[in-house]
């Protein structure tokens, strides 16, 4: 370690690469923490965990007994075991005695991305509540038409404060904190929406995964979704090489999509099972979407199969492409915003290239995944590893080769959520056994050595 | 990677070994391949090699005439890198060497068949239907020429199907039912206007597949430690499935239900817990 620091000091190693090397060696030694413990007050399975985005200090958890709690993961309340084990008790708990409590399970608890003064909880009792952290009171209530499966707020947003909510209902609703009302709804899914994620590259792009197996990309400034991911569209590798694109085109079927000849804008053709909407979504790449869609809609109404005229933005509702053979239970966009990782109830994990909308065919070896609840995935910084809860273990897969690098066994029952904190390189996982476990880089303790304590406080 | 002389493939003492194979020797190897034990030929270096070997090892069944097919999970157990398998399958599919079909026997089952085997199978199905005096059989010709050549995905929508078939001639509704009766397309349960492509006359195989899987898993789970030596497991015969033990073993190992462990006395197959 000292040699590395000396090299950095003399300039032979760049500071960034030095930091990355230290971080990846710490991640490689992740195991059940022997010096940190989170005391969970929950009496039901832990459904959602999130570390706050501003300081990386407070962990918010939501559980099935309608309780939510916040913990300080950097400063412990108590030190036990001769000062070696830090016990982190919750700073406050919102439980069934609270006046503004939820009635049923909390499925998702997220921090307000700007600061830790607010947090949002969504529950199976059809309500989304916005809480003030300092006074622990619910300041806003949104009633949803069905059980709330997942909520999300954009961390990049500067012009809006919308909470995207995925519920049992087929429509995705956007709730506005500033006005206290619903902004608008996004329709296109055919079944409930299990996961929602905002994009890491644009504050207006939302990705949703539904129980019908479709993953849709929405631009909230427009009606309808602009892309539906189809698992049969695939590319061999990180980026489709230019020549490969022409290999991906399939033979054009003239009588189904005569419109495309009229549009004449794209050389890509639609494949089996697709129709006009997919072609317009594709043509959006080469030409700006709106013009192409408008001229297309006139032709569409002439087709016998579609009975009524559709708004050009709603053409995507006809697109029935599926990303998974079952429901989509987890979504995670990589840190650079270029790739999307999705988990489905068909026990498949897929990696999608967002730019081209194709499946990159990386095979993540999983046998079974939880099918009835949404699961929370997590990505390490610089997207080298993805942490996926697979039944009772959490597996860390290499992003590009799909190999299982680590398996974290510790929970007694199914794991529902995991959250990776990039600041300390720690992983927090919560499961049906009501525990929140901390996985941290290995620190060896020799009882008589004072230097280990030094190392501990230095590495903070 | 050692290259093996095909004519002198003597059985090893039970160690796993990889084989490099040239295409010219493939025909010679058909007999030796069929008689090899699973332990010797468990892993391969390349997807196409694995596909050819497994096709050669497909069990010969008297009652039902079916061309060999390979399951995707079998490929996963044979080639170490699964991403490589997926990508090679994708490029082979695009170059029309083989076709992939989605099966209804479970979560994510896919059957892979070489294209000429598939066309052969369709012809046998057509011949069988002719014997039963079914009319309108030219729709199969249209199907072969127009649909199979252009649609490479495992599913197709009703509109696409009709439009492609009408390139051959006038399409009537009962001709679509003839196709369904022949077994080349199957209606999807969740979406009435979409069809899956299917292998004709594969029904009894699929039933045998799912029953054989259950039987093999129950055979192992009844044992005290839920494991058995691969060599002795291979000698057993499954009562309910026409497919042989090697087929089922590859399939279950690839889908993760079973795992193989190296021991000093050979490979041991155990039921995996997660």
């Amino acid at each position: 370690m000292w040699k590395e620091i000396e090299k950095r000091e003399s300039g032979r190693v760049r500071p960034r690469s030095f930091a990355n090397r230290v971080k990846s060696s710490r991640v490689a030694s992740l195991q059940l923490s022997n010096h940190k413990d989170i005391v969970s007050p929950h009496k039901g399975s832990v459904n959602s965990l999130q570390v706050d985005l501003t300081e990386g200090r407070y962990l918010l958890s939501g559980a099935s007994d309608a309780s939510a709690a916040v913990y300080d993961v950097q400063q412990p309340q108590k030190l036990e075991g001769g000062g070696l084990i830090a016990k982190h008790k919750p700073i406050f708990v919102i439980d069934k005695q609270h006046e503004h409590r939820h009635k049923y399970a909390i499925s998702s608890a997220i921090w307000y991305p700007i600061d830790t003064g607010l947090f949002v909880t969504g529950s199976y009792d059809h309500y989304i509540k916005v809480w003030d952290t300092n006074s622990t009171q619910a300041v806003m209530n949104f009633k949803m038409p069905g059980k709330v499966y997942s909520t999300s707020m954009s961390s990049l947003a500067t012009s809006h404060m919308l909470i995207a909510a995925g519920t049992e209902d087929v429509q995705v609703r956007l709730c506005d904190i500033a006005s206290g009302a619903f902004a608008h709804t996004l329709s296109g899914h055919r079944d409930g929406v299990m996961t929602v994620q905002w994009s890491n590259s644009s504050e207006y792009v939302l990705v949703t995964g539904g129980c019908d197996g479709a993953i849709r990309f929405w631009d909230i400034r427009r009606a309808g979704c602009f892309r539906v991911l189809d698992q049969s569209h695939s590319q061999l590798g990180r980026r489709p090489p230019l020549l490969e694109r022409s290999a991906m085109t399939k033979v054009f079927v003239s009588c189904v999509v005569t419109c495309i000849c009229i549009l004449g804008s794209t050389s890509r053709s639609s494949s089996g099972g697709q129709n006009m909407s997919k072609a317009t979504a594709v043509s959006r790449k080469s030409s700006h979407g709106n013009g192409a869609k408008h001229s297309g809609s006139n032709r569409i109404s002439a087709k016998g199969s579609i009975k009524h005229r559709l708004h050009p933005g709603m053409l995507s509702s006809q697109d029935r492409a599926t990303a998974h053979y079952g429901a989509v239970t987890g979504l995670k966009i990589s840190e650079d915003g270029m790739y999307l990782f999705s988990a489905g109830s068909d026990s498949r994990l897929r990696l999608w290239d967002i730019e081209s909308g194709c499946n990159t065919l990386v095979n993540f070896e999983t046998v079974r995944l939880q099918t009835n609840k949404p699961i929370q995935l997590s990505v390490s910084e610089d997207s080298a590893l993805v942490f996926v809860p697979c039944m009772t273990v959490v597996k860390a897969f290499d992003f590009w080769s799909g190999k299982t690098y680590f398996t974290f066994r510790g929970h007694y029952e199914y794991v529902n959520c995991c959250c990776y904190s990039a600041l300390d390189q720690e992983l927090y996982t919560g499961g049906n056994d009501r525990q929140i476990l901390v996985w941290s880089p290995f620190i060896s303790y020799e009882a008589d050595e004072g230097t280990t304590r030094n190392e501990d406080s230095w590495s903070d | 990677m050692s290259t093996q002389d095909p004519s002198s493939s003597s059985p090893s003492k039970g160690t796993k070994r990889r084989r490099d194979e040239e295409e010219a020797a493939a025909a010679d190897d058909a007999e030796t391949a069929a008689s090899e034990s699973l332990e010797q030929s468990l892993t391969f270096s390349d997807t196409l090699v694995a596909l050819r070997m497994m096709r050669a090892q497909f069990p010969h069944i008297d009652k039902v005439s079916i061309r060999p097919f390979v399951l995707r999970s079998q490929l996963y157990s044979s080639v170490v890198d699964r991403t490589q398998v997926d990508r090679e399958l994708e490029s082979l599919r695009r170059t029309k060497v083989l076709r992939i079909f989605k099966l209804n026997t479970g979560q994510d089952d896919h059957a892979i068949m070489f294209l000429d085997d598939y066309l052969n199978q369709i012809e046998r199905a057509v011949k069988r239907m002719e014997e039963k005096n079914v009319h309108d059989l030219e729709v199969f010709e249209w199907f072969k020429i127009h649909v199979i050549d252009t649609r490479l995905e495992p599913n197709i929508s009703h509109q696409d199907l009709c439009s492609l078939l009408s390139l051959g001639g006038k399409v009537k509704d009962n001709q679509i039912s003839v196709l369904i009766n022949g077994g080349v397309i199957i209606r999807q349960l969740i979406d009435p206007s979409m069809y899956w492509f299917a292998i004709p006359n594969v029904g009894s195989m699929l039933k045998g597949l799912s029953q054989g899987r259950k039987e093999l898993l129950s055979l192992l789970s009844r044992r005290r430690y839920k494991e058995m030596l691969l060599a002795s497991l291979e000698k057993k015969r499954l009562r309910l499935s026409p497919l042989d033990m090697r087929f089922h073993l590859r399939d279950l190992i690839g889908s993760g239900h079973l795992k193989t462990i190296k021991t000093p006395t050979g490979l041991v197959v155990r039921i995996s817990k997660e």
Side-chain angles (χ1 to χ4, degrees), chain A residues 194-213:
Chain A
M194 263 211 168
T195 68
V196 286
Q197 283 271 300
W198 287 90
S199 158
N200 279 352
S201 46
S202 162
E203 56 174 327
Y204 298 113
V205 174
L206 179 67
V207 190
T208 58
C211 296
D212 53 350

PDB file of all heavy atoms in Angstrom, chain A residues 194-213:
ATOM      1  N   MET A 194     -44.031  -3.055 -12.963  1.00  0.00           N
ATOM      2  CA  MET A 194     -43.328  -3.457 -11.750  1.00  0.00           C
ATOM      3  C   MET A 194     -42.148  -2.580 -11.384  1.00  0.00           C
ATOM      4  O   MET A 194     -41.813  -2.468 -10.217  1.00  0.00           O
ATOM      5  CB  MET A 194     -42.826  -4.880 -11.919  1.00  0.00           C
ATOM      6  CG  MET A 194     -43.738  -5.852 -11.304  1.00  0.00           C
ATOM      7  SD  MET A 194     -42.847  -7.258 -10.726  1.00  0.00           S
ATOM      8  CE  MET A 194     -44.105  -8.015  -9.783  1.00  0.00           C
ATOM      9  N   THR A 195     -41.462  -2.031 -12.359  1.00  0.00           N
ATOM     10  CA  THR A 195     -40.299  -1.226 -12.002  1.00  0.00           C
ATOM     11  C   THR A 195     -40.266   0.024 -12.862  1.00  0.00           C
ATOM     12  O   THR A 195     -40.636   0.000 -14.034  1.00  0.00           O
ATOM     13  CB  THR A 195     -38.972  -1.958 -12.264  1.00  0.00           C
ATOM     14  OG1 THR A 195     -38.806  -2.105 -13.653  1.00  0.00           O
ATOM     15  CG2 THR A 195     -38.921  -3.299 -11.617  1.00  0.00           C
ATOM     16  N   VAL A 196     -39.799   1.096 -12.272  1.00  0.00           N
ATOM     17  CA  VAL A 196     -39.583   2.331 -13.028  1.00  0.00           C
ATOM     18  C   VAL A 196     -38.196   2.846 -12.674  1.00  0.00           C
ATOM     19  O   VAL A 196     -37.751   2.722 -11.542  1.00  0.00           O
ATOM     20  CB  VAL A 196     -40.620   3.431 -12.699  1.00  0.00           C
ATOM     21  CG1 VAL A 196     -41.950   3.121 -13.296  1.00  0.00           C
ATOM     22  CG2 VAL A 196     -40.741   3.634 -11.234  1.00  0.00           C
ATOM     23  N   GLN A 197     -37.530   3.426 -13.665  1.00  0.00           N
ATOM     24  CA  GLN A 197     -36.209   4.007 -13.437  1.00  0.00           C
ATOM     25  C   GLN A 197     -36.092   5.229 -14.308  1.00  0.00           C
ATOM     26  O   GLN A 197     -36.459   5.181 -15.482  1.00  0.00           O
ATOM     27  CB  GLN A 197     -35.122   3.033 -13.917  1.00  0.00           C
ATOM     28  CG  GLN A 197     -34.833   1.878 -13.007  1.00  0.00           C
ATOM     29  CD  GLN A 197     -33.779   2.234 -12.002  1.00  0.00           C
ATOM     30  OE1 GLN A 197     -32.663   2.576 -12.354  1.00  0.00           O
ATOM     31  NE2 GLN A 197     -34.134   2.169 -10.754  1.00  0.00           N
ATOM     32  N   TRP A 198     -35.526   6.278 -13.764  1.00  0.00           N
ATOM     33  CA  TRP A 198     -35.240   7.427 -14.608  1.00  0.00           C
ATOM     34  C   TRP A 198     -33.883   7.215 -15.264  1.00  0.00           C
ATOM     35  O   TRP A 198     -33.005   6.547 -14.732  1.00  0.00           O
ATOM     36  CB  TRP A 198     -35.208   8.708 -13.761  1.00  0.00           C
ATOM     37  CG  TRP A 198     -36.555   9.134 -13.313  1.00  0.00           C
ATOM     38  CD1 TRP A 198     -37.180   8.774 -12.157  1.00  0.00           C
ATOM     39  CD2 TRP A 198     -37.464   9.995 -13.998  1.00  0.00           C
ATOM     40  NE1 TRP A 198     -38.417   9.366 -12.090  1.00  0.00           N
ATOM     41  CE2 TRP A 198     -38.613  10.124 -13.209  1.00  0.00           C
ATOM     42  CE3 TRP A 198     -37.419  10.692 -15.207  1.00  0.00           C
ATOM     43  CZ2 TRP A 198     -39.710  10.907 -13.582  1.00  0.00           C
ATOM     44  CZ3 TRP A 198     -38.500  11.460 -15.570  1.00  0.00           C
ATOM     45  CH2 TRP A 198     -39.631  11.565 -14.768  1.00  0.00           C
ATOM     46  N   SER A 199     -33.723   7.832 -16.419  1.00  0.00           N
ATOM     47  CA  SER A 199     -32.472   7.654 -17.142  1.00  0.00           C
ATOM     48  C   SER A 199     -31.349   8.432 -16.469  1.00  0.00           C
ATOM     49  O   SER A 199     -31.580   9.456 -15.836  1.00  0.00           O
ATOM     50  CB  SER A 199     -32.674   8.149 -18.572  1.00  0.00           C
ATOM     51  OG  SER A 199     -31.460   8.468 -19.161  1.00  0.00           O
ATOM     52  N   ASN A 200     -30.127   7.945 -16.637  1.00  0.00           N
ATOM     53  CA  ASN A 200     -28.971   8.645 -16.084  1.00  0.00           C
ATOM     54  C   ASN A 200     -28.431   9.692 -17.023  1.00  0.00           C
ATOM     55  O   ASN A 200     -27.467  10.377 -16.694  1.00  0.00           O
ATOM     56  CB  ASN A 200     -27.831   7.643 -15.837  1.00  0.00           C
ATOM     57  CG  ASN A 200     -28.050   6.912 -14.558  1.00  0.00           C
ATOM     58  OD1 ASN A 200     -28.949   7.249 -13.812  1.00  0.00           O
ATOM     59  ND2 ASN A 200     -27.245   5.911 -14.317  1.00  0.00           N
ATOM     60  N   SER A 201     -28.998   9.781 -18.213  1.00  0.00           N
ATOM     61  CA  SER A 201     -28.429  10.743 -19.151  1.00  0.00           C
ATOM     62  C   SER A 201     -29.385  11.875 -19.468  1.00  0.00           C
ATOM     63  O   SER A 201     -28.939  12.932 -19.884  1.00  0.00           O
ATOM     64  CB  SER A 201     -28.027  10.037 -20.443  1.00  0.00           C
ATOM     65  OG  SER A 201     -29.061   9.185 -20.840  1.00  0.00           O
ATOM     66  N   SER A 202     -30.683  11.660 -19.274  1.00  0.00           N
ATOM     67  CA  SER A 202     -31.597  12.745 -19.598  1.00  0.00           C
ATOM     68  C   SER A 202     -32.629  12.850 -18.491  1.00  0.00           C
ATOM     69  O   SER A 202     -33.133  11.846 -18.009  1.00  0.00           O
ATOM     70  CB  SER A 202     -32.287  12.459 -20.929  1.00  0.00           C
ATOM     71  OG  SER A 202     -33.435  13.247 -21.050  1.00  0.00           O
ATOM     72  N   GLU A 203     -32.986  14.076 -18.099  1.00  0.00           N
ATOM     73  CA  GLU A 203     -33.945  14.197 -17.010  1.00  0.00           C
ATOM     74  C   GLU A 203     -35.367  13.940 -17.463  1.00  0.00           C
ATOM     75  O   GLU A 203     -36.272  13.891 -16.653  1.00  0.00           O
ATOM     76  CB  GLU A 203     -33.851  15.584 -16.390  1.00  0.00           C
ATOM     77  CG  GLU A 203     -34.045  16.711 -17.366  1.00  0.00           C
ATOM     78  CD  GLU A 203     -34.085  18.068 -16.681  1.00  0.00           C
ATOM     79  OE1 GLU A 203     -34.566  18.141 -15.541  1.00  0.00           O
ATOM     80  OE2 GLU A 203     -33.641  19.046 -17.288  1.00  0.00           O
ATOM     81  N   TYR A 204     -35.607  13.781 -18.749  1.00  0.00           N
ATOM     82  CA  TYR A 204     -36.964  13.579 -19.229  1.00  0.00           C
ATOM     83  C   TYR A 204     -37.238  12.152 -19.677  1.00  0.00           C
ATOM     84  O   TYR A 204     -38.330  11.857 -20.126  1.00  0.00           O
ATOM     85  CB  TYR A 204     -37.258  14.514 -20.416  1.00  0.00           C
ATOM     86  CG  TYR A 204     -37.170  15.966 -20.051  1.00  0.00           C
ATOM     87  CD1 TYR A 204     -36.169  16.777 -20.573  1.00  0.00           C
ATOM     88  CD2 TYR A 204     -38.083  16.539 -19.170  1.00  0.00           C
ATOM     89  CE1 TYR A 204     -36.092  18.108 -20.225  1.00  0.00           C
ATOM     90  CE2 TYR A 204     -38.005  17.860 -18.822  1.00  0.00           C
ATOM     91  CZ  TYR A 204     -37.000  18.651 -19.354  1.00  0.00           C
ATOM     92  OH  TYR A 204     -36.917  19.970 -19.012  1.00  0.00           O
ATOM     93  N   VAL A 205     -36.258  11.278 -19.577  1.00  0.00           N
ATOM     94  CA  VAL A 205     -36.456   9.929 -20.096  1.00  0.00           C
ATOM     95  C   VAL A 205     -36.684   8.978 -18.942  1.00  0.00           C
ATOM     96  O   VAL A 205     -35.937   8.963 -17.969  1.00  0.00           O
ATOM     97  CB  VAL A 205     -35.231   9.488 -20.923  1.00  0.00           C
ATOM     98  CG1 VAL A 205     -35.361   8.043 -21.328  1.00  0.00           C
ATOM     99  CG2 VAL A 205     -35.103  10.354 -22.151  1.00  0.00           C
ATOM    100  N   LEU A 206     -37.734   8.176 -19.074  1.00  0.00           N
ATOM    101  CA  LEU A 206     -38.110   7.236 -18.032  1.00  0.00           C
ATOM    102  C   LEU A 206     -38.151   5.842 -18.646  1.00  0.00           C
ATOM    103  O   LEU A 206     -38.605   5.679 -19.772  1.00  0.00           O
ATOM    104  CB  LEU A 206     -39.499   7.627 -17.518  1.00  0.00           C
ATOM    105  CG  LEU A 206     -40.149   6.791 -16.436  1.00  0.00           C
ATOM    106  CD1 LEU A 206     -39.380   6.920 -15.166  1.00  0.00           C
ATOM    107  CD2 LEU A 206     -41.577   7.269 -16.240  1.00  0.00           C
ATOM    108  N   VAL A 207     -37.671   4.846 -17.908  1.00  0.00           N
ATOM    109  CA  VAL A 207     -37.724   3.465 -18.394  1.00  0.00           C
ATOM    110  C   VAL A 207     -38.639   2.692 -17.466  1.00  0.00           C
ATOM    111  O   VAL A 207     -38.492   2.783 -16.252  1.00  0.00           O
ATOM    112  CB  VAL A 207     -36.328   2.789 -18.330  1.00  0.00           C
ATOM    113  CG1 VAL A 207     -36.352   1.480 -19.044  1.00  0.00           C
ATOM    114  CG2 VAL A 207     -35.271   3.690 -18.888  1.00  0.00           C
ATOM    115  N   THR A 208     -39.571   1.946 -18.030  1.00  0.00           N
ATOM    116  CA  THR A 208     -40.453   1.160 -17.161  1.00  0.00           C
ATOM    117  C   THR A 208     -40.478  -0.280 -17.621  1.00  0.00           C
ATOM    118  O   THR A 208     -40.389  -0.568 -18.814  1.00  0.00           O
ATOM    119  CB  THR A 208     -41.900   1.674 -17.202  1.00  0.00           C
ATOM    120  OG1 THR A 208     -42.356   1.617 -18.544  1.00  0.00           O
ATOM    121  CG2 THR A 208     -41.997   3.080 -16.699  1.00  0.00           C
ATOM    122  N   GLY A 209     -40.624  -1.165 -16.662  1.00  0.00           N
ATOM    123  CA  GLY A 209     -40.723  -2.584 -16.984  1.00  0.00           C
ATOM    124  C   GLY A 209     -42.035  -3.108 -16.434  1.00  0.00           C
ATOM    125  O   GLY A 209     -42.379  -2.842 -15.287  1.00  0.00           O
ATOM    126  N   GLY A 210     -42.777  -3.834 -17.259  1.00  0.00           N
ATOM    127  CA  GLY A 210     -44.110  -4.235 -16.839  1.00  0.00           C
ATOM    128  C   GLY A 210     -44.271  -5.725 -16.632  1.00  0.00           C
ATOM    129  O   GLY A 210     -43.394  -6.523 -16.975  1.00  0.00           O
ATOM    130  N   CYS A 211     -45.418  -6.099 -16.074  1.00  0.00           N
ATOM    131  CA  CYS A 211     -45.723  -7.504 -15.849  1.00  0.00           C
ATOM    132  C   CYS A 211     -46.007  -8.217 -17.156  1.00  0.00           C
ATOM    133  O   CYS A 211     -46.057  -9.456 -17.199  1.00  0.00           O
ATOM    134  CB  CYS A 211     -46.938  -7.657 -14.937  1.00  0.00           C
ATOM    135  SG  CYS A 211     -46.656  -7.003 -13.307  1.00  0.00           S
ATOM    136  N   ASP A 212     -46.186  -7.460 -18.233  1.00  0.00           N
ATOM    137  CA  ASP A 212     -46.399  -8.089 -19.535  1.00  0.00           C
ATOM    138  C   ASP A 212     -45.065  -8.425 -20.196  1.00  0.00           C
ATOM    139  O   ASP A 212     -45.025  -8.924 -21.300  1.00  0.00           O
ATOM    140  CB  ASP A 212     -47.207  -7.153 -20.445  1.00  0.00           C
ATOM    141  CG  ASP A 212     -46.578  -5.775 -20.543  1.00  0.00           C
ATOM    142  OD1 ASP A 212     -45.642  -5.495 -19.778  1.00  0.00           O
ATOM    143  OD2 ASP A 212     -47.021  -4.971 -21.369  1.00  0.00           O
ATOM    144  N   GLY A 213     -43.970  -8.095 -19.528  1.00  0.00           N
ATOM    145  CA  GLY A 213     -42.677  -8.457 -20.088  1.00  0.00           C
ATOM    146  C   GLY A 213     -42.063  -7.416 -20.994  1.00  0.00           C
ATOM    147  O   GLY A 213     -41.018  -7.634 -21.591  1.00  0.00           O
TER     148      GLY A 213
END
